[in-house]
Amino acid sequence: MSRIDDLIRERCPDGVPFRPLGEVLRIKNGKDHKPLGDGEVPVYGSGGIIRHVDTAAAEGPSVLIPRKGSLANLFYVEGPFWVVDTIFRTEIDTSLVAPKFLFHQLQTMGLGEMNQAGGVPSQTQGVLNRLRIPVPPLEVQQEIVRVLDTFTELEAELEAELEARRVQYAHYR
C-alpha cells in the first residue's frame, strides 16, 4: 500500500467526501488590461500570459480556469496576477482544500470537454460551481500534491534529457 492509501484509510474511514466546487472556492471574472501600464505582473488569458502590467487584480495562490477558447488550459499561480475576461480566477478556501491539490484535481476532470456553447468553446460559472470534487483531509491533499509534483519534476528532467540526446544525435549524424 502507498502512503496515500494509508492516509485515506486512516483519515477517511467512511470514504473521501465530495463537495461542489462552489463550496470550496469563489469564481471571479477577469477584466480589461489595456488601460494598465507595463510592469512585472503577468496578465493571463485562456492561452497563457499575454503581457505584464503594473497592477495586480489578485494575489495567488489561485487556479485560473479558462472561460472562452482553450478550456483545458488551466494555470496555477502563486504571486500577483491579472486575468482578462477569457479566464476565471479563483479565491480558494484553504481551510478546506490545498490550492495545488485543486489544480491537479481539475486537470483530471476533462474541463476541455465541458463546452457550454456552439462556436467558440465556453464555460460558465454555474456549471463550474456545481462540479463535485473529492475533498480529503488537508494532510492527504498535501501528500497527493507532493507525489504529483515529484512526477512533474521528473517528467521535466526526462524531457530535458531527451532533448539533449536529440541534439547530440543530430550533431553526430
Side-chain angles (χ1 to χ4, degrees):
M1 283 277 144
S2 74
R3 171 148 166 73
I4 294 171
D5 290 330
D6 293 342
L7 281 171
I8 290 174
R9 198 171 39 260
E10 176 186 324
R11 304 279 188 196
C12 309
D14 297 325
V16 175
F18 279 68
R19 290 181 176 223
L21 199 58
E23 287 183 11
V24 299
L25 59 76
R26 285 183 32 185
I27 297 173
K28 302 290 214 163
N29 291 321
K31 301 180 206 170
D32 186 16
H33 64 96
K34 293 178 196 92
L36 303 174
D38 291 336
E40 301 294 319
V41 177
V43 176
Y44 287 86
S46 60
I49 296 175
I50 56 178
R51 73 178 275 218
H52 289 81
V53 296
D54 58 0
T55 306
E59 184 83 24
S62 182
V63 177
L64 309 182
I65 305 170
R67 185 182 73 79
K68 291 274 188 198
S70 305
L71 299 182
N73 212 12
L74 298 170
F75 300 96
Y76 176 77
V77 293
E78 289 195 351
F81 63 94
W82 187 277
V83 291
V84 299
D85 67 347
T86 61
I87 194 163
F88 297 122
R89 67 180 172 90
T90 58
E91 294 175 350
I92 302 164
D93 182 346
T94 57
S95 70
L96 296 173
V97 66
K100 196 92 180 247
F101 172 80
L102 177 66
F103 172 70
H104 287 302
Q105 177 61 43
L106 290 175
Q107 284 187 308
T108 69
M109 296 184 69
L111 296 181
E113 289 85 47
M114 294 182 185
N115 183 19
Q116 302 300 311
V120 176
S122 298
Q123 188 57 271
T124 66
Q125 284 190 32
V127 168
L128 290 171
N129 282 328
R130 288 188 301 272
L131 283 179
R132 295 182 60 79
I133 63 165
V135 183
L138 287 172
E139 183 182 1
V140 176
Q141 293 177 38
Q142 291 161 347
E143 181 63 13
I144 291 169
V145 168
R146 186 192 67 74
V147 169
L148 291 174
D149 283 351
T150 300
F151 279 117
T152 301
E153 291 168 18
L154 179 59
E155 182 181 36
E157 290 173 13
L158 290 173
E159 187 60 39
E161 180 67 23
L162 180 60
E163 184 57 31
R165 296 295 141 235
R166 285 184 189 127
V167 169
Q168 183 182 37
Y169 177 73
H171 172 74
Y172 286 111
R173 197 173 72 205

